[in-house]
């Protein structure tokens, strides 16, 4: 049986970047959805499970780090990758402290992004396998 392709939520207010990321991910046959702001991202992630979210650090209605905190509380298993056009050590440290799994700097290089996504999704599925094995041992 074919396992479903992971689903990815793209949270980005810039339409060009949003479309570019969507195209890159769809070429790899990921299921994608987009959100233009934090509020939309929260609504969409409540309605459906995403394996991974790409979060822009600057959103019109809230800071990406604030959105990250909310998503981390509600969806701890979802992989969260911050996208920043303003790389600073504080941003990076803050994002990682608040539950980001990684962060990537704009302009995003497609091959770098895809490699990072694959690596993080692999870690996610390994963690799930370990949990399943532990459960099986207890039964």
């Amino acid at each position: 049986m074919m396992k479903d392709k992971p689903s990815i939520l793209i949270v980005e207010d810039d339409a060009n970047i949003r479309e570019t990321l969507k195209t890159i991910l769809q070429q790899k046959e990921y299921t994608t959805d987009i959100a233009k702001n934090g509020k939309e991202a929260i609504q969409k992630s409540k309605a459906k499970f995403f394996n991974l979210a790409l979060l822009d650090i600057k959103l019109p209605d809230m800071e990406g780090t604030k959105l990250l905190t909310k998503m981390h509380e509600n969806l701890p298993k979802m992989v969260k990758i911050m996208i920043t056009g303003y790389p600073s050590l504080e941003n990076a440290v803050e994002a990682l402290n608040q539950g980001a799994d990684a962060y990537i700097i704009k302009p995003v290089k497609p091959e770098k992004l895809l490699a990072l996504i694959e690596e993080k999704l692999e870690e996610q599925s390994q963690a799930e396998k370990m949990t399943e094995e532990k459960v099986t041992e207890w039964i």
Side-chain angles (χ1 to χ4, degrees), residues 4-43:
D4 287 341
K5 269 287 186 182
S7 57
I8 298 177
L9 179 63
I10 301 163
V11 187
E12 168 63 70
D13 59 326
D14 182 312
N16 293 335
I17 298 174
R18 209 168 46 230
E19 285 310 307
T20 304
L21 291 171
K22 193 175 163 184
T23 306
I24 292 168
L25 295 171
Q26 285 177 340
Q27 283 172 347
K28 283 283 176 194
E29 291 174 15
Y30 288 117
T31 308
T32 60
D33 200 349
I34 52 178
K36 297 175 191 71
N37 56 44
K39 197 174 162 201
E40 199 182 340
I42 289 168
Q43 284 167 345

Side-chain angles (χ1 to χ4, degrees), residues 1-7 29-31 48 51 121 124:
M1 196 174 105
M2 256 281 291
K3 210 172 163 247
D4 287 341
K5 269 287 186 182
S7 57
E29 291 174 15
Y30 288 117
T31 308
K48 170 180 188 260
N51 298 84
L121 288 172
Q124 184 186 55

Side-chain angles (χ1 to χ4, degrees), residues 53-85:
L54 296 172
L55 308 172
D56 187 13
I57 215 154
K58 291 272 182 239
L59 293 167
D61 59 341
M62 67 173 76
E63 283 290 315
T65 45
K66 201 171 241 137
L67 173 61
L68 171 68
T69 307
K70 283 194 165 137
M71 287 187 146
H72 191 61
E73 284 165 10
N74 300 325
L75 307 155
K77 283 190 157 65
M78 180 172 71
V79 174
K80 294 162 283 291
I81 298 176
M82 300 302 291
I83 299 176
T84 176

